[in-house]
């Protein structure tokens, strides 16, 4: 199955700033997915990133707040913009791997 | 709107005991996944269930899927402390790869 390298693993950021999270996959994949896991909660899909087209956002998530890049078939970034404490979460990327889905190691974001 | 309901949400077990975690979902799907998450860690894939009647076992864990009842179970046999973690089920809505997760079951196995 695919191996995903996600970074940073954690960060503490000031409110009003932005953080870009990167995911690198060891094989080419058509779609990459970005999830948010708020403290003590389950995972919620933020958006699906396809190479060569704009990301598709789920209800409640907008491009201005979570811009995504997908420059090639092995790499994607998610930016959390103009952060507030409510954005403190774990952010994970994911890719499909034949039968299932593999997740990156996650980025634990704390906004102060 | 698809809903995925897990129960129980919290489970405290003694070592050596058996228990089942249930995952109900509200729409048709033939693909269901179970993941394990340790505190501060990412998700580890446990089982991929792709058809009605699928049953998979790994060690002390066994998962099954009944697509007609829209129910999956994760059975724990003779629990050990190392199984302490949060377990999530997730339903795949189809080719778009949109996984809908249950709220998770936080399992604590005590000596």
């Amino acid at each position: 199955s695919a191996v995903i390298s996600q970074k940073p693993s954690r960060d503490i950021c000031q409110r009003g700033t932005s953080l870009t999270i990167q995911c690198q996959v060891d094989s080419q994949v058509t779609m990459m997915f970005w999830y948010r896991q708020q403290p003590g909660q389950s995972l919620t899909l933020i958006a699906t990133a396809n190479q060569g087209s704009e990301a598709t956002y789920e209800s409640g998530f907008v491009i201005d707040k979570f811009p995504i890049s997908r420059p090639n078939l092995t790499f994607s970034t998610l930016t959390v913009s103009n952060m507030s404490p409510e954005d403190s979460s774990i952010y994970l990327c994911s890719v499909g791997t034949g039968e299932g889905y593999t997740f990156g190691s996650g980025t634990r974001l704390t906004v102060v | 709107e698809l809903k995925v309901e897990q129960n129980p949400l919290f489970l405290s077990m003694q070592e050596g005991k058996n228990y089942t975690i249930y995952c109900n979902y509200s729409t048709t799907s033939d693909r269901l996944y179970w993941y394990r998450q340790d505190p501060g860690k990412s998700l580890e894939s446990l089982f991929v269930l792709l058809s009605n009647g699928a049953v998979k076992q790994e060690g002390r864990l066994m998962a099954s899927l009944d697509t007609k009842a829209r129910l999956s179970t994760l059975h724990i046999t003779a629990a050990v402390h190392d199984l302490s973690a949060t377990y999530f089920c997730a339903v795949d809505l189809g080719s778009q790869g949109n996984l809908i997760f249950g709220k998770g079951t936080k399992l604590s196995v005590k000596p």
Side-chain angles (χ1 to χ4, degrees), chain B residues 72-92:
Chain B
S72 180
T73 61
L74 180 66
H75 187 72
I76 303 159
T77 301
V80 293
H81 178 69
D82 285 351
L83 290 179
S84 297
T86 299
Y87 293 84
F88 292 95
C89 64
V91 175
D92 192 342

Side-chain angles (χ1 to χ4, degrees), chain B residues 52-105:
Chain B
N52 185 42
V55 177
K56 291 193 176 180
Q57 183 165 3
E58 181 72 34
R60 301 175 186 274
L61 301 178
M62 183 173 70
S64 66
L65 178 63
D66 181 343
T67 58
K68 294 180 181 178
R70 298 179 184 173
L71 170 68
S72 180
T73 61
L74 180 66
H75 187 72
I76 303 159
T77 301
V80 293
H81 178 69
D82 285 351
L83 290 179
S84 297
T86 299
Y87 293 84
F88 292 95
C89 64
V91 175
D92 192 342
L93 285 186
S95 60
Q96 297 307 308
N98 186 351
L99 294 184
I100 306 298
F101 282 81
K103 291 188 175 181
T105 297

Side-chain angles (χ1 to χ4, degrees), chain A residues 24-45:
Chain A
Q24 178 77 48
V25 190
D26 68 347
S27 58
Q28 293 185 340
V29 292
T30 304
M31 292 190 287
M32 293 180 71
F33 309 95
W34 288 97
Y35 287 84
R36 180 177 74 180
Q37 185 178 25
Q38 294 178 299
Q41 302 296 314
S42 186
L43 283 77
T44 301
L45 182 66

Side-chain angles (χ1 to χ4, degrees), chain A residues 36 58-62 66:
Chain A
R36 180 177 74 180
E58 297 300 309
S59 176
F61 298 96
V62 295
F66 298 101

Side-chain angles (χ1 to χ4, degrees), chain A residues 60-99:
Chain A
F61 298 96
V62 295
I63 188 171
D64 289 346
K65 177 67 176 178
F66 298 101
I68 288 171
S69 77
R70 185 78 201 276
N72 56 55
L73 291 174
T74 64
F75 187 80
S76 179
T77 68
L78 169 76
T79 299
V80 186
S81 303
N82 189 24
M83 288 183 285
S84 66
E86 292 71 32
D87 295 319
S88 297
S89 297
I90 299 174
Y91 293 85
L92 301 103
C93 61
S94 175
V95 299
T97 57
E99 282 196 342

